[in-house]
Amino acid sequence: MKDDIQEILFSEEVLTKRVKELASKISEDYKGKDLVVVGILKGSVIFASELIKNISVKCEIDFMAVSSYGSSTETSGVVRILKDLDHSIEGKDILIVEDIVDTGVTLSYLLKYLKARRANSIKIVTLLNKPARRKAEVEVKYTGFEVPDAFIVGYGIDYAENYRNLPFIGVLKPEVYEK
Ligand code: IMP
Ligand code: MG
């Protein structure tokens, strides 16, 4: 598996440190609020669980699943809700946890979709941001790292459902998805 990685961008140690920084900022900002952390499956699972563990204010946890990439490396632009929230978010302060914001299509759709539910606030935290490929503007409140326009895997992020279990973030060798 590691042979398919061209370059390690963020080691496990670097990721852990940054996630703790984000969690302490979030804990400050959400003091006294009605926080619901919403992880977007499956890419955000590792990030979301590390983040939640380090959030020190009271919060609920929920998940959504949306379709974005199939087994190719390009988004179709079509977003489908595969799993919706379990609970009402009316009056609550929602923090969406995403693995990577690329074109922005998925999140801008999701924001529009959730806006009708009368949450008190909806913000986004993403581990990675790839601004070079943005097509739809989305306001991201917290970002772990900016990444170059390359195909990224690891720490929850996949290529064709593989590589999610790598403990670091790396760039996939192009020959892996070009063959
Ligand atoms: P967007 O709608 O183009 O912003 O796509 C967001 C989703 O596409 C992310 O949640 C990821 O699941 C996936 N994605 C975007 N870039 C990459 C990448 O470099 N590697 C793996 N998945 C990616
Ligand atoms: Mg995703």
Coordinates of all heavy atoms in Angstrom, one line a residue, residues 40-44 66-69 97-100 106 156-158 164, ligand 2:
I40 N -19.1 14.0 7.8 CA -19.5 13.6 6.5 C -18.8 12.3 6.1 O -17.6 12.3 6.0 CB -19.2 14.7 5.4 CG1 -19.8 16.0 5.8 CG2 -19.8 14.2 4.0 CD1 -21.3 16.1 6.1
L41 N -19.6 11.2 6.0 CA -19.0 9.9 5.8 C -18.6 9.7 4.4 O -19.2 10.3 3.5 CB -20.1 8.8 6.1 CG -20.6 8.8 7.6 CD1 -21.8 7.9 7.7 CD2 -19.5 8.4 8.5
K42 N -17.6 8.9 4.1 CA -16.8 8.2 5.0 C -15.5 8.9 5.3 O -14.8 8.6 6.2 CB -16.5 6.8 4.6 CG -17.7 5.9 4.4 CD -17.3 4.5 3.8 CE -18.0 4.4 2.5 NZ -17.7 3.2 1.8
G43 N -15.2 9.8 4.4 CA -13.8 10.5 4.4 C -13.4 11.1 5.7 O -12.2 11.2 6.0
S44 N -14.4 11.7 6.4 CA -14.0 12.4 7.6 C -13.9 11.6 8.9 O -13.7 12.2 9.9 CB -15.1 13.6 7.8 OG -16.2 13.1 8.4
V66 N -22.9 11.4 1.7 CA -23.3 12.0 0.4 C -22.4 11.3 -0.6 O -21.3 10.9 -0.3 CB -23.1 13.5 0.4 CG1 -24.0 14.2 1.4 CG2 -21.6 13.9 0.6
S67 N -22.9 11.2 -1.8 CA -22.0 10.7 -2.9 C -21.3 11.8 -3.6 O -21.9 12.8 -3.9 CB -22.8 9.9 -3.9 OG -23.6 10.7 -4.7
S68 N -20.0 11.6 -3.8 CA -19.3 12.6 -4.6 C -18.5 11.9 -5.6 O -18.9 11.6 -6.7 CB -18.4 13.5 -3.7 OG -17.7 12.7 -2.8
Y69 N -17.3 11.4 -5.2 CA -16.5 10.6 -6.1 C -16.9 9.2 -6.2 O -17.2 8.6 -5.2 CB -15.0 10.7 -5.7 CG -14.3 12.0 -6.0 CD1 -14.7 13.1 -5.3 CD2 -13.4 12.1 -7.0 CE1 -14.1 14.3 -5.5 CE2 -12.7 13.3 -7.2 CZ -13.1 14.4 -6.5 OH -12.5 15.6 -6.8
V97 N -18.1 18.5 9.5 CA -16.7 18.1 9.5 C -16.4 17.4 8.2 O -17.0 16.3 7.9 CB -16.3 17.1 10.6 CG1 -14.9 16.7 10.6 CG2 -16.7 17.8 12.0
E98 N -15.6 18.0 7.3 CA -15.3 17.4 6.0 C -13.8 17.0 5.9 O -13.0 17.6 6.6 CB -15.7 18.5 5.0 CG -15.5 18.1 3.5 CD -16.3 16.8 3.1 OE1 -16.1 15.8 3.6 OE2 -17.0 16.9 2.1
D99 N -13.5 16.1 5.1 CA -12.1 15.7 4.9 C -11.3 16.6 4.0 O -10.3 17.1 4.4 CB -12.0 14.2 4.4 CG -12.9 14.0 3.1 OD1 -13.6 14.9 2.7 OD2 -12.8 12.9 2.5
I100 N -11.9 17.0 2.9 CA -11.2 17.8 1.9 C -12.2 18.6 1.1 O -13.2 18.0 0.6 CB -10.3 17.0 1.1 CG1 -9.5 17.8 0.0 CG2 -10.9 15.8 0.4 CD1 -8.3 17.1 -0.6
T106 N -19.9 19.7 -3.4 CA -20.5 18.9 -2.4 C -21.0 19.7 -1.2 O -22.2 19.7 -0.8 CB -19.6 17.8 -1.8 OG1 -19.0 17.0 -2.9 CG2 -20.3 16.8 -0.9
G156 N -8.3 8.6 6.4 CA -9.8 8.6 6.1 C -10.1 8.8 4.6 O -11.1 8.5 4.1
I157 N -9.2 9.4 3.9 CA -9.4 9.8 2.5 C -9.0 8.7 1.6 O -7.9 8.1 1.7 CB -8.7 11.1 2.2 CG1 -9.1 12.3 3.1 CG2 -8.9 11.5 0.7 CD1 -8.3 13.5 3.0
D158 N -9.9 8.4 0.6 CA -9.7 7.2 -0.2 C -9.4 7.5 -1.7 O -9.6 8.6 -2.2 CB -10.9 6.3 -0.1 CG -12.1 6.9 -1.0 OD1 -12.4 8.1 -0.8 OD2 -12.6 6.2 -1.9
R164 N -7.7 4.5 3.0 CA -8.3 5.3 4.2 C -7.5 5.0 5.4 O -7.5 5.9 6.3 CB -9.7 4.9 4.4 CG -10.7 5.3 3.3 CD -12.1 5.2 3.8 NE -13.1 5.1 2.7 CZ -13.6 6.2 2.1 NH1 -13.3 7.4 2.5 NH2 -14.5 6.1 1.2
Ligands
MG2 MG -15.9 13.2 1.2

